[in-house]
Amino acid sequence: MASKAPIYQSLDPTLKHIRVLELLPGVFESDLRAIIRTVALDDNPSYEALSYTWGARTEGRTLKIRPDAKWMYQSTELPITDNLFRALRRLRRLYKTRVFWIDAVCINQEDLDERSAQVALMEEIYSNAASTAIWLGDTGGTNIHDEDMTTGRRMMQFASSILSNTLSDILWNPDCIPMDHAIQTTTPSWKDRGWIIQEYVLSRRPYFQFGAKTRMIGKADPSLGHRGFAVPDSGFILEKKIVMFPGLWGLAEKLKRLDRIRTETERGELISLYHAVLATGGSKTTDPRDKVYSLLSFLNPAERALVYPDYRSSAEAVFSRATYAALKGPTGFSILELIKFDMSEIPSALPTWAYDFTTVDPYSRHTHGQVHEMVEMAVPSLQMNAESTELKFEGVCVGIVAETTPPLPGFQEECSNHSGHDINTEACVIAEVSRKIVELIARAERLIRVDVAAEAPSRSNASDKTNADDERRAFISNQIFDTRTKRAIQDEIVFNLFANWESITAYLGIPRASDISQSSADIPRTLLDQTRYYCEEASGSAILFTTTSGNIGIAPGTIKGGDRLVLPLCETASGEIDAKVTPFIKPLAIILREQKDDKWTFHGLAHLDSLGEKARYIRDVKSYSIH
């Protein structure tokens, strides 16, 4: 009978002590029994690590534990999840003890201080393990007699059983079906778990375990696009595409990201939080704070020094601290472009500038290679308060929003099937954009052209006004629509608008700042397209706006009239002072909205026309406090 013998003895936080689980031998159906021992990492103990998903608890799933040899005849039943129960039954040997490190068992999950200290040791725990068993799940439903097996797979499995190994391997790999089944029927799937980046990348010798079968993981093979033989070939004749096995396909895609990080880690390279978030954006953790803590082993020193495991801190405080670390790191303000805004205006517990690390699949304007090519710049004045709620920095205002358009049409919307693209046709996308731009300019003129109103010719009746508006709209349409293409796509319209903004404002008689350093015609097409995609991802829509100085820009749907466009004051590696948001090809401006007591809130990033590498406003520096 199980007793209440103590399972956990306190670990000395000043020493690198961990617990290991000695899984005692037994037959498959017998109770799971084990001994917990305390060892020191500095003594190079021999053990294996287990990487798996916790999943849900099931009544009756227990592990009978003896805390140490002195409790020879006493044991305590520790409730465990169903997935761990299944994994241990498969991993247990018949006659020999196996030693594992398993997070859910070897860490006292009720002791918050111990959890924090042990998570800080994760890098050493996995890198020192002799091997790491990656449990994908059980393989029930892959026998030809199982009722839930599809007819097609039953035939394939039957053929594998009667053909020679050589012939069946040519047709398809027999591991495909059970491995794919294990991945798809285990919830949550191993490939979707947040901690796998650390467990897979740092392990000396990882291998997959699914049911009673084992599949070793070899060296990365660029020609296959995944790690060696970790994912079985889906076949040359009957199954030519891995997408026929959704679980295997998802695993292969995940391994591409992890292998990239593993290769960099083996070369001694350390990544940024921005980079790590993009690599693991679709992963999930039971505790939201682990979305940050699971990335710590790979971070560069500048960011790692500012983030540490602390399970007494709230998720909001952890996310704010991690965002601050990313802002101080090599990719600077890049993390801000990953923030998504809730347009329902439901209050959030997070500061407006803090990134929610539970965001699924964040969008980045940059490829993996571009992230590494970013030029490192520092914001010397950047500070965060002790409560992790307020961000302070020195910056310059490069524009004040005068007017905005309603949300623009979707990216792929286009007008076609009518000749001439009559600007008065309601169904024409270009006509819709033209109308919105004319309305935008008309409203902005009241703020921008103070002295022009008196000189403007009077309009005696509504007909004259309508004709004038039609002329303006026609001129704008001719500027932004290339008739040679016979169609107008929204992306092309916006690009042409920026490229011809100077001629448009000149025609309309709108004065602009005299010291503009760069023409919008010099803006790379891809940069503007990426910025529009950012706007859609951040808020669900893109909006055009004008500033009080006569410039035009594009921003997420969060922007409003009166918002300030701000660039933080940065210092380059050579000590040169510049004003930038982030070391992109061209800078984006931070959208800030003033609140009470000179406090500000963050509302996204905006592309502002004619904003050059060197801001001409550095002399007008102001301190901003964002909440």
Side-chain angles (χ1 to χ4, degrees):
M1 175 180 287
S3 69
K4 292 296 181 181
I7 294 178
Y8 300 113
Q9 303 294 324
S10 297
L11 298 176
D12 188 339
T14 64
L15 301 175
K16 294 182 180 179
H17 283 176
I18 64 171
R19 301 185 187 92
V20 292
L21 182 81
E22 295 184 0
L23 184 60
L24 301 178
V27 296
F28 183 79
E29 297 81 6
S30 65
D31 293 340
L32 291 172
R33 299 180 181 274
I35 297 174
I36 285 185
R37 297 188 186 279
T38 299
V39 298
L41 284 172
D42 289 340
D43 293 338
N44 296 319
S46 177
Y47 62 91
E48 299 175 74
L50 177 63
S51 176
Y52 71 108
T53 60
W54 283 25
R57 294 189 183 277
T58 302
E59 188 69 26
R61 300 303 200 193
T62 61
L63 175 62
K64 295 183 177 180
I65 293 179
R66 298 207 313 258
D68 218 323
K70 64 182 180 180
W71 299 98
M72 188 63 67
Y73 301 106
Q74 299 180 356
S75 64
T76 299
E77 290 189 352
L78 178 69
I80 58 176
T81 65
D82 181 69
N83 196 38
L84 178 56
F85 179 83
R86 292 172 179 269
L88 292 179
R89 287 212 306 180
R90 293 294 189 181
L91 291 168
R92 178 174 55 181
R93 290 178 177 147
L94 185 59
Y95 300 111
K96 187 177 180 181
T97 297
R98 293 186 77 173
V99 182
F100 285 100
W101 184 89
I102 304 171
D103 56 357
V105 177
C106 297
I107 299 176
N108 183 356
Q109 300 295 325
E110 303 300 321
D111 187 334
L112 298 181
D113 292 331
E114 180 180 306
R115 283 177 64 189
S116 301
Q118 291 288 290
V119 167
L121 295 174
M122 288 284 203
E123 179 178 0
E124 292 187 60
I125 291 173
Y126 277 95
S127 60
N128 289 334
S131 62
T132 298
I134 298 174
W135 172 251
L136 297 180
D138 234 329
T139 53
T142 62
N143 185 284
I144 60 173
H145 301 293
D146 291 331
E147 295 180 358
D148 58 349
M149 193 175 195
T150 64
T151 302
R153 293 200 172 188
R154 182 179 288 109
M155 292 176 64
M156 292 175 64
Q157 195 76 346
F158 176 72
S160 292
S161 66
I162 62 175
L163 294 174
S164 66
N165 290 336
T166 302
L167 182 56
S168 64
D169 284 346
I170 292 175
L171 298 177
W172 62 82
N173 191 299
D175 281 349
C176 286
I177 294 177
M179 195 171 181
D180 183 74
H181 178 87
I183 296 169
Q184 291 200 66
T185 56
T186 301
T187 305
S189 174
W190 178 84
K191 61 183 173 56
D192 298 326
R193 183 169 172 260
W195 281 103
I196 66 172
I197 181 176
Q198 193 164 240
E199 299 165 357
Y200 176 84
V201 171
L202 295 177
S203 297
R204 295 181 187 173
R205 185 171 169 267
Y207 64 92
F208 288 125
Q209 182 82 32
F210 45 104
K213 304 195 72 172
T214 298
R215 191 168 188 88
M216 304 308 297
I217 299 176
K219 291 294 184 180
D221 186 341
S223 65
L224 295 178
H226 52 77
R227 193 162 188 82
F229 298 103
V231 177
D233 190 339
S234 54
F236 298 105
I237 298 177
L238 298 183
E239 298 288 347
K240 295 184 178 180
K241 294 182 179 179
I242 198 171
V243 293
M244 297 296 293
F245 299 92
L248 289 178
W249 181 84
L251 178 63
E253 290 299 304
K254 176 65 72 172
L255 293 185
K256 288 179 184 178
R257 296 184 182 185
L258 298 182
D259 283 331
R260 182 183 298 159
I261 297 176
R262 180 164 186 160
T263 300
E264 292 168 358
T265 302
E266 291 173 348
R267 291 200 301 255
E269 298 178 7
L270 296 174
I271 64 178
S272 67
L273 262 171
Y274 178 84
H275 179 189
V277 165
L278 294 179
T280 61
S283 61
K284 301 175 183 178
T285 58
T286 304
D287 189 323
R289 293 168 292 190
D290 288 337
K291 284 286 289 184
V292 173
Y293 297 156
S294 62
L295 306 175
L296 298 184
S297 299
F298 312 99
L299 298 188
N300 59 81
E303 295 175 271
R304 180 69 181 269
L306 297 173
V307 187
Y308 48 87
D310 181 7
Y311 286 97
R312 294 190 180 276
S313 296
S314 66
E316 292 77 16
V318 173
F319 291 173
S320 297
R321 200 158 54 234
T323 303
Y324 175 66
L327 294 170
K328 297 284 283 186
T331 54
F333 278 63
S334 314
I335 192 77
L336 296 182
E337 80 165 11
L338 303 183
I339 295 177
K340 293 187 178 182
F341 296 90
D342 184 0
M343 299 305 291
S344 66
E345 298 186 355
I346 298 175
S348 171
L350 277 176
T352 57
W353 54 268
Y355 174 66
D356 183 352
F357 283 80
T358 61
T359 302
V360 177
D361 292 331
Y363 168 77
S364 171
R365 299 186 307 152
H366 302 88
T367 65
H368 176 83
Q370 288 175 325
V371 170
H372 284 287
E373 293 171 0
M374 291 180 177
V375 179
E376 185 169 349
M377 300 187 72
V379 182
S381 62
L382 188 65
Q383 296 179 342
M384 183 181 68
N385 64 353
E387 294 77 21
S388 305
T389 57
E390 179 180 328
L391 194 68
K392 290 185 178 181
F393 66 90
E394 290 183 341
V396 293
C397 178
V398 295
I400 300 175
V401 178
E403 293 288 346
T404 63
T405 65
L408 299 177
F411 289 114
Q412 300 304 322
E413 292 187 41
E414 62 181 69
C415 45
S416 57
N417 301 324
H418 61 278
S419 61
H421 287 83
D422 185 350
I423 59 175
N424 294 313
T425 303
E426 293 295 331
C428 183
V429 173
I430 191 170
E432 179 183 353
V433 176
S434 298
R435 283 191 294 271
K436 289 180 178 180
I437 293 172
V438 170
E439 293 165 2
L440 170 71
I441 295 172
R443 294 193 305 270
E445 280 180 324
R446 293 193 294 271
L447 298 175
I448 299 173
R449 301 179 56 204
V450 178
D451 59 334
V452 176
E455 302 174 6
S458 60
R459 292 168 181 162
S460 57
N461 54 54
S463 177
D464 291 340
K465 181 180 184 302
T466 300
N467 291 335
D469 286 345
D470 286 346
E471 290 177 4
R472 288 168 172 241
R473 190 180 304 118
F475 176 80
I476 293 172
S477 295
N478 289 333
Q479 293 292 312
I480 65 179
F481 174 54
D482 185 356
T483 56
R484 293 172 299 176
T485 64
K486 302 302 181 183
R487 67 199 250 277
I489 299 179
Q490 177 68 345
D491 293 333
E492 297 172 352
I493 295 172
V494 174
F495 175 75
N496 290 337
L497 172 66
F498 274 80
N500 296 293
W501 181 244
E502 289 188 21
S503 59
I504 292 174
T505 51
Y507 173 85
L508 299 176
I510 298 178
R512 301 178 68 195
S514 59
D515 55 347
I516 290 175
S517 59
Q518 180 185 6
S519 168
S520 43
D522 298 331
I523 299 172
R525 169 64 179 271
T526 54
L527 178 67
L528 192 58
D529 290 346
Q530 290 169 350
T531 303
R532 292 203 57 230
Y533 278 109
Y534 155 71
C535 295
E536 289 277 359
E537 290 290 329
S539 68
S541 64
I543 284 180
L544 294 176
F545 66 89
T546 59
T547 67
T548 55
S549 58
N551 286 344
I552 191 172
I554 186 170
T558 52
I559 199 169
K560 293 182 179 180
D563 287 348
R564 301 297 196 269
L565 304 172
V566 176
L567 295 180
L569 206 62
C570 300
E571 181 178 343
T572 64
S574 62
E576 183 181 4
I577 298 298
D578 200 354
K580 281 188 174 182
V581 163
T582 146
F584 293 152
I585 303 172
K586 293 291 182 293
L588 297 179
I590 293 177
I591 304 171
L592 297 183
R593 188 169 302 152
E594 190 170 13
Q595 308 297 326
K596 297 180 180 178
D597 302 325
D598 199 28
K599 307 295 184 183
W600 302 78
T601 49
F602 171 71
H603 295 275
L605 303 174
H607 173 87
L608 185 61
D609 173 44
S610 300
L611 183 59
E613 287 286 338
K614 301 292 181 182
R616 60 191 183 279
Y617 317 90
I618 292 181
R619 62 184 179 273
D620 301 320
V621 176
K622 173 182 171 62
S623 179
Y624 291 91
S625 176
I626 314 178
H627 288 254

